[in-house]
């Protein structure tokens, strides 16, 4: 708060320019690379995404740096499922699958059923999460798809429960969705999100037997490097078959008054102001040195 009454708060993306200007505000600002990825799920059993070359064109049609700029640094480009700072983060190892490349878009389009530009009507569903920049990012993704693929996307913004029910029905053609990691391990990503044989149902129609088995193998393997190799193979399969398109990881920005002490810091040097993964956070935070009103 400019008035100074807020001691610790998440900064909405629209307000970031206000705290990025000025020395006092910048000293109070702390970035946090959240364990969260924004991605697109193209429904592989429905037009137009039942066509692999069309999905491959989609992989290369989105400028992720533009999304980051649009959100004032709110989302670094993503090229794998695991966010930075978590076990299983592969950096840019898989970048070639989903980098912004208009030549690759045209090459894939030429091999697709839609080389003539005769796309079907397409709707992409998303949750009502404007506070996380979801809507502004989804709108720009749709604009880029129109510009670079010639495909018009209609956005359908939904409340959380209706979104979940529709997603699990496997009926939406496209899903714009985030995944916040509940625990810092690839199992929470590859298995919990994409394993296709769950009795509780699955979040997307894509299914691959080799991938499913690898996620089981990853659960059972105890040697870290062997586990990494398993999840590296999972990532390769997902990218080659375009099970998803990674877009950006979320960068969150918090502001703290100087007297807010004890906020935990991870190995990367980022404060971790969230009790979801670090459940003991609120046992460490305290106030010290604040003048009485």
């Amino acid at each position: 708060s400019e008035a100074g009454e807020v001691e610790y708060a998440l900064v909405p993306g629209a307000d970031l320019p206000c705290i990025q200007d000025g020395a006092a505000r910048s000293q109070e600002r702390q970035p946090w690379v959240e364990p969260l990825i924004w991605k697109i799920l193209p429904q592989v059993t429905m037009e137009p995404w039942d066509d692999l070359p069309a999905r491959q064109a989609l992989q290369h049609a989105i400028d992720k740096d533009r999304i980051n700029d649009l959100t004032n640094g709110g989302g670094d480009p993503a090229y794998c499922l695991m966010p930075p700072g978590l076990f299983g983060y592969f950096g840019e190892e898989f970048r070639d699958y989903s980098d912004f490349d208009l030549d690759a878009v045209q090459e894939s389009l030429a091999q697709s059923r839609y080389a003539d530009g005769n796309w079907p009507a397409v709707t992409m569903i998303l949750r009502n999460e404007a506070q996380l920049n979801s809507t502004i990012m989804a709108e720009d993704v749709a604009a880029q798809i129109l510009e670079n693929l010639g495909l018009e996307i209609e956005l359908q913004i939904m409340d959380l429960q209706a979104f979940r029910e529709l997603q699990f029905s496997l009926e939406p053609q496209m899903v714009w969705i985030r995944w916040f990691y509940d625990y810092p391990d690839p199992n929470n990503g590859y298995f919990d999100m994409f394993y296709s044989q769950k009795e509780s149902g699955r979040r997307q129609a894509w299914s691959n037997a080799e991938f499913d088995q690898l996620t089981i193998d990853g659960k059972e393997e105890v040697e870290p490097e062997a586990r990494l190799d398993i999840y590296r193979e999972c990532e390769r399969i997902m990218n080659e078959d375009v099970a998803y398109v990674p877009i950006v990881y979320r960068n969150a920005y918090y502001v703290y008054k100087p007297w807010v002490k004890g906020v935990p810091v991870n190995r990367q040097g980022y404060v971790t102001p969230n009790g979801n993964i670090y459940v003991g956070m609120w046992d460490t935070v305290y106030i010290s040195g604040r003048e009485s009103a």
Side-chain angles (χ1 to χ4, degrees):
S1 168
E2 290 292 338
E5 66 271 14
V6 175
E7 295 172 324
Y8 152 61
L10 171 66
V11 182
D15 294 336
L16 276 174
C18 298
I19 66 162
Q20 288 168 337
D21 295 331
R25 283 286 172 262
S26 65
Q27 290 173 1
E28 294 176 358
R29 184 184 75 242
Q30 291 284 346
W32 176 40
V33 181
E34 282 196 65
L36 186 157
I37 182 172
W38 288 101
K39 61 188 186 296
I40 293 171
L41 301 177
Q43 200 71 288
V44 300
T45 58
M46 303 185 68
E47 291 186 338
W49 310 125
D50 58 343
D51 182 69
L52 177 59
R55 299 202 302 276
Q56 291 170 328
L58 175 66
Q59 277 181 308
H60 295 289
I62 298 164
D63 184 343
K64 302 173 185 183
D65 288 308
R66 172 171 147 174
I67 301 293
N68 191 27
D69 292 342
L70 182 69
T71 55
N72 300 304
D76 290 328
Y79 300 101
C80 65
L81 195 61
M82 297 299 291
L86 299 188
F87 178 77
Y89 171 62
F90 295 119
E92 296 194 353
E93 183 175 336
F94 294 91
R95 179 188 177 112
D96 289 349
Y97 284 105
S98 65
D99 60 335
F100 180 53
D101 186 338
L102 294 180
D103 289 337
V105 169
Q106 293 306 315
E107 290 173 10
S108 294
L109 276 182
Q111 300 172 44
S112 76
R113 297 198 305 263
Y114 307 99
D116 60 358
N118 188 27
W119 294 98
V122 175
T123 298
M124 181 166 70
I125 67 170
L126 63 150
R127 293 182 285 207
N128 185 10
E129 296 177 316
Q131 76 279 11
L132 298 179
N133 291 325
S134 177
T135 305
I136 190 173
M137 288 190 291
E139 288 174 345
D140 193 63
V141 163
Q144 292 197 47
I145 291 173
L146 177 60
E147 179 180 349
N148 299 325
L149 291 181
L151 168 60
E152 188 168 357
I153 303 291
E154 179 181 346
L155 299 182
Q156 183 178 354
I157 303 174
M158 311 180 70
D159 67 56
L160 301 189
Q161 185 57 38
F163 173 94
R164 177 181 171 82
E165 290 176 1
L166 188 56
Q167 184 187 7
F168 272 75
S169 76
L170 307 183
E171 293 177 1
Q173 293 159 293
M174 294 181 76
V175 179
W176 170 255
I177 192 171
R178 62 176 172 83
W179 183 264
F180 188 104
Y181 279 77
D182 300 299
Y183 52 94
D185 188 88
N187 185 68
N188 188 223
Y190 296 98
F191 179 82
D192 288 342
M193 260 192 281
F194 287 97
Y195 179 73
S196 68
Q197 304 302 316
K198 286 186 175 181
E199 292 183 1
S200 58
R202 60 183 191 255
R203 292 173 169 81
Q204 64 286 315
W206 181 77
S207 178
N208 180 290
E210 181 184 1
F211 173 90
D212 283 347
Q213 183 57 51
L214 284 168
T215 64
I216 300 299
D217 296 342
K219 280 175 175 283
E220 297 175 349
E221 178 59 58
V222 296
E223 203 279 312
E225 286 303 317
R227 291 193 76 218
L228 279 182
D229 287 341
I230 289 170
Y231 291 119
R232 182 175 282 109
E233 188 67 7
C234 286
E235 189 69 43
R236 181 194 64 78
I237 291 170
M238 294 172 74
N239 278 279
E240 286 191 354
D241 205 29
V242 198
Y244 84 121
V245 181
I247 304 297
V248 291
Y249 305 115
R250 174 168 160 78
N251 292 330
Y253 294 87
Y254 286 75
V255 285
Y256 304 85
K257 290 301 182 183
W259 48 80
V260 177
K261 309 290 187 182
V263 180
V265 177
N266 66 16
R267 292 179 182 177
Q268 286 73 40
Y270 292 110
V271 295
T272 55
N274 184 282
N276 191 49
I277 284 183
Y278 179 40
V279 295
M281 172 197 163
W282 292 112
D283 295 330
T284 71
V285 177
Y286 62 98
I287 301 295
S288 178
R290 180 181 61 188
E291 294 183 4
S292 301

